[in-house]
């Protein structure tokens, strides 16, 4: 096999099954928006992925909330790091963010997020919900419009000399 380089890694896309596994196992993403000057900014946030959408939360005084009210175009990046998935996988979505303030959304979302970040500990999850339920808190719903996926599994099969050796 001739030597290969990594100039074009688009052939190492993430299939639907691996995408679903990553979204189910990971609870953190990088949420990216643009400030009023058009400069992109991002923070690490916990999320719930449900009904094909990302659901996150922040207090409305955080800079990202007025920013997405002004310009709802955002990106969400999810990696396999820390998820228990052993081979590096990642997803990047571009989409539009809707700021939700209704009680019906908060009623299902807060317990779902608490269960994700405090699994197996109902008391800690209940306390987390109580702390989330604050006057200025909103829920951010990201509706994906396009995605880029990457799965290093095939890349390492194509270039075994560069693969991690256990």
């Amino acid at each position: 096999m001739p030597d290969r380089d990594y100039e074009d890694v688009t052939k190492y896309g993430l299939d639907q099954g691996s995408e679903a596994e990553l979204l189910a196992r990971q609870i953190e993403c990088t949420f990216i928006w643009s400030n009023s000057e058009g400069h992109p900014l991002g923070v690490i946030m916990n999320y719930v992925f449900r009904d094909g959408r990302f659901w996150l939360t922040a207090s409305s005084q955080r800079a990202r909330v007025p920013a997405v009210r002004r310009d709802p175009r955002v990106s969400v990046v999810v990696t396999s790091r820390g998820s228990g998935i052993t081979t590096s996988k990642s997803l990047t979505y571009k989409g539009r963010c809707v700021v939700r303030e209704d009680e019906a959304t908060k009623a299902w979302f807060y317990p779902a997020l608490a269960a994700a970040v405090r699994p197996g500990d109902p008391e800690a999850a209940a306390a987390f919900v109580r702390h989330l339920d604050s006057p200025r808190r909103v829920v951010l719903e990201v509706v994906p419009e396009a995605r880029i996926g990457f799965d290093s599994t095939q890349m390492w099969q194509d270039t075994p000399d560069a693969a991690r050796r256990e």
Side-chain angles (χ1 to χ4, degrees), residues 12 18 20 23 29-30 33 38 44 50 53 85-86 90 93 104 109-110 114 126-127 135 142 162:
Y12 305 128
S18 295
L23 292 174
C29 69
T30 303
W33 70 95
I44 307 298
R50 181 182 283 183
R53 295 156 189 237
I85 296 173
T86 57
S90 66
Y93 297 86
F109 173 71
Y110 292 166
V142 177

Side-chain angles (χ1 to χ4, degrees), residues 3-51:
D3 287 342
R4 297 175 188 237
D5 61 35
Y6 300 137
E7 286 294 317
D8 181 9
V9 296
T10 58
K11 64 184 174 183
Y12 305 128
L14 197 64
D15 64 45
Q16 288 183 337
S18 295
E19 175 181 17
E21 178 188 20
L22 176 54
L23 292 174
R25 291 179 67 173
Q26 185 56 277
I27 62 168
E28 278 188 349
C29 69
T30 303
F31 178 74
I32 304 164
W33 70 95
S34 296
N35 67 13
S36 59
E37 292 82 36
H39 195 90
L41 299 164
V43 295
I44 307 298
M45 297 180 72
N46 292 115
Y47 72 88
V48 171
F49 189 76
R50 181 182 283 183
D51 299 327

Side-chain angles (χ1 to χ4, degrees), residues 106-128:
K106 293 175 181 182
W108 75 261
F109 173 71
Y110 292 166
L113 183 64
V117 299
R118 300 291 183 265
D121 190 343
E123 289 180 25
F128 192 75

Side-chain angles (χ1 to χ4, degrees), residues 63-75:
R64 67 197 85 142
V65 176
V68 299
R69 288 185 197 275
R70 182 182 59 255
D71 182 353
R73 295 173 298 168
V74 299
S75 291

